[in-house]
Amino acid sequence: NIHWRIAAIAVPFTLVGAIIGSKLNLIVSERYLQIIMLALLPIIAIFTFVKKDIGTEDHFDEVSPTRQFWGTAIISLTVSAYHAFYGPGSGLFFMALYCIVLKFDVLKGNGLTKVILFIASMMSGITYAISGNVQWTIVSAASIFYIGGNYLGATIAITKGAKVVKPAFIFMIIVLFVKLAFDFF
């Protein structure tokens, strides 16, 4: 469920985006990003409700090579910068945009998302480590649960498909919006 050619296009843009986002995080208040997120999340939720067929079927072969390249490049650069800068919901954004722009089904969109999140997380982690801003004991413990949760989620997504992934996606948008609003106000 991973389109490796698209992943290869995404990797260099993801690396650059992760470095940019990490560096911005070290100098800019996250308050600005919270404002942007509070505006974007309802738009994504509404779009997902209105376009119910997004991610239900794979129509990637209908996407032009130019759109494949530039869509992948722009999504990977911007969302990985967001991921490294702030983080919450980046997987949702990657998956939604890969399904909308590249017309992947949710499994392929999610599979590509996991590869790209791994790359973005590693690069931003290296950037933060170089700056001395990593709590290694917390990272070690959290990594174990992160791996376990991803394994469980991927297993459910692969076996149950879009009928489980899409409602989970909507639920996570709502939870993230509530959390951001609570933190903001």
Side-chain angles (χ1 to χ4, degrees):
N1 289 308
I2 298 169
H3 195 291
W4 291 106
R5 184 179 63 78
I6 296 298
I9 293 168
V11 167
F13 294 98
T14 298
L15 293 170
V16 171
I19 292 168
I20 291 168
S22 301
K23 297 283 187 180
L24 284 173
N25 181 280
L26 296 170
I27 60 173
V28 175
S29 169
E30 70 181 45
R31 188 98 170 139
Y32 298 112
L33 195 55
Q34 286 177 320
I35 294 167
I36 293 167
M37 291 297 298
L38 284 169
L40 281 179
L41 284 173
I43 293 168
I44 291 172
I46 291 167
F47 190 80
T48 304
F49 277 119
V50 171
K51 300 286 258 169
K52 294 188 184 301
D53 61 335
I54 291 173
T56 55
E57 293 181 17
D58 187 36
H59 293 285
F60 176 75
D61 56 339
E62 299 170 6
V63 178
S64 73
T66 302
R67 182 173 172 173
Q68 289 175 14
F69 179 84
W70 288 110
T72 300
I74 292 166
I75 293 166
S76 301
L77 180 72
T78 57
V79 180
S80 64
Y82 162 77
H83 174 72
F85 182 84
Y86 190 64
S90 55
L92 296 173
F93 293 128
F94 270 125
M95 188 176 78
L97 291 170
Y98 287 145
C99 290
I100 293 165
V101 175
L102 301 179
K103 297 185 179 183
F104 282 130
D105 63 23
V106 291
L107 286 180
K108 286 196 178 136
N110 203 13
L112 182 59
T113 294
K114 298 308 176 202
V115 170
I116 300 310
L117 280 175
F118 174 76
I119 301 292
S121 295
M122 295 304 288
M123 183 56 44
S124 59
I126 290 167
T127 305
Y128 287 120
I130 290 169
S131 71
N133 289 297
V134 175
Q135 299 286 330
W136 290 106
T137 53
I138 294 171
V139 168
S140 300
S143 294
I144 294 167
F145 291 99
Y146 183 77
I147 291 167
N150 273 283
Y151 179 78
L152 178 63
T155 301
I156 292 168
I158 290 168
T159 57
K160 303 293 183 188
K163 67 182 177 187
V164 171
V165 175
K166 232 173 158 176
F169 175 77
I170 298 295
F171 175 74
M172 291 311 298
I173 287 175
I174 293 166
V175 169
L176 180 58
F177 181 80
V178 169
K179 183 213 178 299
L180 284 169
F182 182 78
D183 289 350
F184 186 77
F185 300 108

